[in-house]
Amino acid sequence: MSPALPGPTMAGPATPGPDTARLSRLLPPAGHHYADDLAAHLGRHGPVPYRGGVGRLIPEVRAAGLTGRGGAAFPTYRKLEAVAAAGPGRAVAVGNAAEGEPASHKDETLLRLAPHLVLDGLQLAAEAAGAARAVLYVRRDSRAATRLDRHLTQRLARGLDRIAVEVVPAPPRFLAGEESALASRVSGGAALPRFTPPRVFERGVDGRPTLVQNVETLAHLALIARHGPDWFRAAGTPEEPGTMLCTLRQADGSVTVAEAAIGTPLASLLDLGPGTAVLVGGYHGAWIPAAHAAGIRLTNTMLRPLGASLGAGVLAALPADRCGLAETARVARYLALESAGQCGPCLNGLPRIAAALAELAGLAGRRPDPEVIPDLSRWAGLVEGRGACHHPEGTVRFIRSALRVFAAEVRQHQQGRCVARSRVPFLPTPAGPSTDADWS
Ligand SMILES: Cc1cc2nc3c(=O)[nH]c(=O)nc-3n(C[C@H](O)[C@H](O)[C@H](O)COP(=O)(O)O)c2cc1C
Ligand code: SF4
């Protein structure tokens, strides 16, 4: 077993911020951008450590305590076991790099800087689950997608991959990475969610048992297979071991992707400065007051009592000059437009909720109706749990957290006032909302 390579890891579209207790397990250490080169990857990590049989890696993944990094933190070994139980040769293994969340860049960054770690993980997960088919589902406008064919050809030439990997493009839509939407798209249909059960591990791509893992989860799995569970657990907390990739959106507008041990103080990742609130877990996540965030660590255990969770690792510090209510209203409008339009409560309810929030936030050009708060809470209750997927619950969680955390702003807005000094949008939404029907 070899230890983690020490050193900071920061990557992203903007300049790295100050380093703290960050690790470089997945991403190359700062200043090294060699990891998309196959020879350098093999030099750093060695060959793919196949186990030579279905299920053999699963006890190690279980002992490591690896959980999914795509948002739900579900124990990875349980999905591997469920799919492996279908018997060898029937299942499909899919690496999920749809990254539909506009605020997240971690999967794109990982695939750009360490693609071979993801591809090793996909092979190893396919072997463990007894899958006969391996697919990488990649956001079609991602910068990482362009080089994948070259990486796969090189791996094939070196005889690294035991099963050929197909690359399936994902539409750049918020829901495209939801696992039943993924299964539909990889089966040749539209990337639309469907009612469950059956879950995709029972009936997924082409009706076959399907293992869907986020690409970051696969990269961790590739390292567990090389270094073992104890090495993995040397970072993180006993309940939530390992590291995770976070997309950090600082109040000054800079955006970076950092790898941090789970349990790292939020204050060492985000400059909380004079900011008012922090968004944790992205657009299906929750706002927490900056004063609370200062004492919080990067763990679901600490976040859940605040109604938040790590999700796929988006952390955003709201600048002091913006209105959290207006930011939430803008994102809620985007989320309402991203409804797949299949389930009545979601199709009708989310736009209503988003319109009421826009009215409250002063974006509708009129003073809010006094009944807007009770209306919002009633409509939120009507959409929750009424859809094929979790989009309504996630959206409602995000909005409720805003009404809680920005209660003072809500009172101001009800009087027709807003304290924001800047109306420049902070949280990203795609330019021009996706009102088209392109789900392929
Ligand atoms: C609305 C919605 C969008 C999702 N988008 C993604 C995504 O873009 N990428 C991803 O890996 N998982 C996404 N998920 C989670 C997947 O359904 C699935 O749980 C995950 O890919 C499983 O991998 P993991 O266990 O390794 O996290 C989404 C879930 C929901 C409800
Ligand atoms: S709940 Fe909403 S987003 Fe999910 S499938 Fe139904 S209509 Fe689409």
Side-chain angles (χ1 to χ4, degrees), residues 192-277:
L192 295 170
R194 63 161 160 76
F195 276 96
T196 51
R199 294 283 308 274
V200 296
F201 64 80
E202 299 161 308
R203 277 177 65 81
V205 174
D206 295 333
R208 291 169 179 271
T210 300
L211 177 77
V212 179
Q213 300 289 175
N214 174 256
V215 283
E216 184 191 338
T217 314
L218 292 174
H220 286 294
L221 183 141
L223 290 177
I224 291 167
R226 285 176 164 102
H227 306 298
D230 292 343
W231 170 87
F232 186 73
R233 284 182 169 278
T237 70
E239 303 77 31
E240 296 171 69
T243 61
M244 68 180 285
L245 297 178
C246 300
T247 308
L248 306 177
R249 312 191 80 91
Q250 306 287 354
D252 66 5
S254 62
V255 184
T256 52
V257 171
E259 181 173 5
I262 299 182
T264 300
L266 290 197
S268 72
L269 295 168
L270 285 178
D271 182 1
L272 297 172
T276 51

Side-chain angles (χ1 to χ4, degrees), residues 2 4 57 76 85 101 118 144 148 202 207 289 300 319 334 351-352 393 406:
S2 55
L57 184 61
T76 305
E101 161 80 59
V118 172
L148 278 171
E202 299 161 308
N300 280 320
Y334 157 74
R352 243 180 171 186
E393 285 88 271
F406 303 116

Side-chain angles (χ1 to χ4, degrees), residues 114-132:
H116 294 293
L117 214 45
V118 172
L119 293 167
D120 291 352
L122 181 55
Q123 291 293 325
L124 290 164
E127 182 194 53

Side-chain angles (χ1 to χ4, degrees), residues 174-175 178 180 193-195 283-285 331-332 334-351 353-354 376-401:
F174 191 81
L175 296 165
E178 192 277 335
S180 67
R194 63 161 160 76
F195 276 96
Y283 297 168
H284 275 181
V331 173
Y334 157 74
L335 292 172
L337 288 169
E338 286 297 300
S339 158
Q342 307 186 111
C343 319
C346 178
L347 173 66
N348 301 312
L350 291 189
I353 292 170
L376 268 171
S377 107
R378 192 160 38 87
W379 294 335
L382 289 175
V383 301
E384 269 178 314
R386 305 278 307 281
C389 76
H390 294 300
H391 188 48
E393 285 88 271
T395 305
V396 162
R397 180 185 316 119
F398 171 62
I399 292 171
R400 283 211 175 110
S401 74

Side-chain angles (χ1 to χ4, degrees), residues 138-153:
V138 185
R139 194 181 153 106
R140 70 169 179 239
D141 59 359
S142 129
R143 279 194 288 167
T146 53
R147 297 172 71 122
L148 278 171
D149 284 346
R150 189 170 66 97
H151 297 320
L152 289 168
T153 309

